[in-house]
Amino acid sequence: MENKNSLRETEDKKPADFIRQIVADDLATGKHPEIITRFPPEPNGYLHIGHAKSICLNFGIALENKKGRCHLRFDDTNPEKEEDEYIRAIIEDVKWLGFDWGEHLYYASDYFEKMYEYGEQLIREGNAYVCSLKPDEVKNTRGTLTEAGKPSPDRDRPIEESLDLFRRMRAGEFPEGSYTLRAKIDMTSGNFNMRDPAVYRIKKAPHPRTGSTWCIYPMYDYAHCLEDAIEEITHSLCTLEFEDHRPLYDWFLDKLRTPYHPRQIEFARLNLTYTVMSKRKLLQLVNEGHVDGWDDPRMPTIAGLRRRGYTPSSIKNFCDRIGLAKRDSTVDVALLEYCIRDELNKTAPRVMGVLNPLKVTIENYPEKQTEELDAINNPEDESAGTRKIPFSKTLYIERSDFMEDPPKKFFRLSPGKEVRLRYAYFITCTKVVKDESTKEITEIICTYDPNTRGGNSPDGRKVKSTIHWVSAAHAFNAKVRLYDRLFLKEDPFDGDDFIKNINADSLNILENAKLEPSLKGAKPGDRYQLERMGYFFADPIDSKEGSPIFNRIVTLKDMWTNIQKRGDENK
């Protein structure tokens, strides 16, 4: 977990936004002596990148103020969907992002008794009643945008009768769906949330924390505002879908005259291209086997991003860059990719690895000779120094770096063409060896210029391409997972079924990538740039000592692919 003081220093440099301006104004006027925020996830799934935005906002604002704090609170009001696994995962994710709630870890279930007491208060003061309408019947009486709702026949039920029924609901006398406690507000309101919403429903399901103590559970709109009030939250920050719920939030607190009345403020939620952000849809992907669990590196979950190789700082940088808005919009996932690429460009060691190997034999190189060549570990960081890499007669290069009959703008290796081997020599292709039956190229025969060691020619001649390589005698085989975007379309819901938009090539597993020998000692969690191929992460779960498995975090810019695309467009 990151040092809290250093986080405060970082947060102090952030530009103001409309929420931070509200907080600053409240402090300046003395409305609040301290700032208290909260992050209140429901433990019914894993957190995703959208939650990261809320985490960074709530904990960030708290960190910006010397007396500020942020609570982690689990909204565990629905026992049928909540699991301890999700609670543990959420705690791990928030800690991994570098935030600390100290002693302020809470659960909605901590307040069940107090919420129940408030429920009785609503009934006693004529602000709630027990309703016997079934869910479908309630739906049919809600009205429309142009028609008022119809009052429940139980709306004027005597107070004592509603109190008795509510207590018997708690005692477990009635089956699920037989009764609800509803707030008595306004069935003609233009805001559907104010048309006598449910406050309590009967659910005879064991709760992960309270067991079978309760068989009635509060609804979210009722519970959320009370949790905030009980914890003396100053600013309750929610996404825009709760904007229409704010009048109900305030109504409950006003009618119950709670000692503390937090202010709810809404901001735009995060939507990403090529990404599904609904926990229900993410759960569907997991349950139907389209991905390998919640931490699959193709998932937008924090666990998935962590497994792919993203860093906490890259995610927080992304959240800073997108900022806060009052209207929903969609952010290009390329910005998230840029943030990790920009960070790793400065920090990741450079190494060489060949993912789709093609054998190269240098016919004029001495048979048993091996050289140790100097390679730069990171050109962005002089202190990273250099390393030795072995060079020998037989090498591997990327199959895509050779074309037997290349187009005009292909500057890599081809018959008769000379290229530079990174840190090594100039080589020229003299012969192509093919499998007689398949006609597939199996080997390239080349010559090298011994005077070009280090990649420069004494006579000043130039080559237009530098390609990477590994020594066949020294490379080791490794499994590499190439991850791509999970969906083919910017909007996965473009069509009748988002499952049909899944990218069948979102995962490509290479069993025999050839990597330079230094990578054999990679530890789980190490990050590298495979030169020209992208940034890679030693999988923290599947990697074994001496046998790392690498996940591609993100690609590098590929100019040849761009050239090909432009060529296709111009045909």
Side-chain angles (χ1 to χ4, degrees), residues 209-489:
R209 296 187 74 241
T210 62
S212 57
T213 301
W214 293 90
C215 59
I216 58 171
Y217 292 94
M219 303 298 291
Y220 177 83
D221 282 332
Y222 173 73
H224 183 223
C225 62
L226 292 178
E227 293 157 25
D228 285 349
I230 292 169
E231 294 177 20
E232 299 185 357
I233 301 301
T234 58
H235 300 83
S236 182
L237 310 179
C238 307
T239 45
L240 278 178
E241 63 263 35
F242 293 101
E243 185 174 25
D244 289 341
H245 297 248
R246 188 182 348 127
L248 182 56
Y249 182 101
D250 292 331
W251 186 89
F252 279 127
L253 298 185
D254 288 341
K255 292 298 182 182
L256 291 169
R257 301 180 299 283
T258 55
Y260 213 83
H261 191 134
R263 178 179 179 179
Q264 178 175 306
I265 308 171
E266 304 84 21
F267 61 93
R269 64 179 298 166
L270 173 59
N271 298 301
L272 275 181
T273 57
Y274 300 97
T275 308
V276 169
M277 302 288 270
S278 159
K279 281 197 289 187
R280 183 169 59 86
K281 299 297 185 183
L282 294 176
L283 180 61
Q284 181 181 346
L285 291 172
V286 173
N287 288 342
E288 294 181 0
H290 300 292
V291 294
D292 297 325
W294 285 97
D295 68 342
D296 187 302
R298 294 166 292 179
M299 291 278 273
T301 56
I302 296 175
L305 293 169
R306 180 167 67 246
R307 180 91 182 265
R308 185 154 176 169
Y310 277 77
T311 62
S313 52
S314 67
I315 292 174
K316 287 188 280 191
N317 182 28
F318 169 72
C319 292
D320 285 346
R321 284 176 175 272
I322 61 176
L324 294 176
K326 296 182 180 181
R327 292 184 178 181
D328 282 332
S329 61
T330 301
V331 177
D332 194 330
V333 72
L335 178 57
L336 176 62
E337 296 166 347
Y338 167 82
C339 288
I340 185 62
R341 188 183 289 116
D342 183 58
E343 176 179 328
L344 295 182
N345 180 53
K346 302 180 183 71
T347 62
R350 271 48 165 182
V351 293
M352 290 199 290
V354 175
L355 303 184
N356 191 7
L358 176 61
K359 183 179 178 181
V360 172
T361 299
I362 305 175
E363 58 182 347
N364 63 329
Y365 192 86
E367 281 288 344
K368 297 183 179 180
Q369 180 172 304
T370 297
E371 295 181 73
E372 295 288 329
L373 304 178
D374 290 321
I376 298 172
N377 286 329
N378 190 332
E380 302 292 325
D381 180 9
E382 290 186 8
S383 66
T386 61
R387 70 189 185 284
K388 298 290 186 180
I389 52 175
F391 184 87
S392 61
K393 184 181 183 70
T394 305
L395 311 172
Y396 290 114
I397 66 169
E398 289 292 342
R399 189 168 289 273
S400 59
D401 280 339
F402 179 82
M403 278 191 175
E404 187 175 16
D405 184 19
K408 183 178 180 180
K409 292 186 179 181
F410 185 84
F411 299 121
R412 304 175 208 173
L413 192 60
S414 58
K417 184 173 288 187
E418 189 174 48
V419 299
R420 177 189 294 107
L421 295 178
R422 179 77 157 150
Y423 303 119
Y425 298 96
F426 289 6
I427 62 170
T428 303
C429 174
T430 59
K431 184 180 178 181
V432 177
V433 180
K434 298 182 179 181
D435 182 291
E436 291 185 1
S437 59
T438 65
K439 304 303 179 183
E440 180 183 10
I441 298 173
T442 58
E443 184 179 4
I444 303 299
I445 307 300
C446 295
T447 59
Y448 87 117
D449 181 349
N451 295 318
T452 59
R453 180 182 167 116
N456 295 304
S457 172
D459 63 11
R461 73 182 188 275
K462 304 294 184 181
V463 293
K464 290 188 175 181
S465 183
T466 299
I467 64 175
H468 64 281
W469 53 273
V470 293
S471 169
H474 303 88
F476 78 98
N477 286 352
K479 178 186 287 189
V480 174
R481 299 164 176 156
L482 301 181
Y483 291 102
D484 203 345
R485 293 167 182 172
L486 185 57
F487 293 95
L488 294 168
K489 295 185 177 182

Side-chain angles (χ1 to χ4, degrees), residues 126-129 138 141-145 147-152 155-156 182-199 244 247-248 251-252 255:
N127 294 316
Y129 59 96
V138 172
T141 61
R142 296 276 286 174
T144 67
L145 291 174
E147 295 181 1
K150 298 178 181 178
S152 165
R155 198 170 196 268
D156 295 322
R182 295 176 66 182
K184 186 186 290 187
I185 307 180
D186 183 1
M187 291 301 293
T188 67
S189 174
N191 186 336
F192 274 68
N193 297 298
M194 305 298 283
R195 294 185 182 182
D196 289 13
V199 178
D244 289 341
L248 182 56
W251 186 89
F252 279 127
K255 292 298 182 182

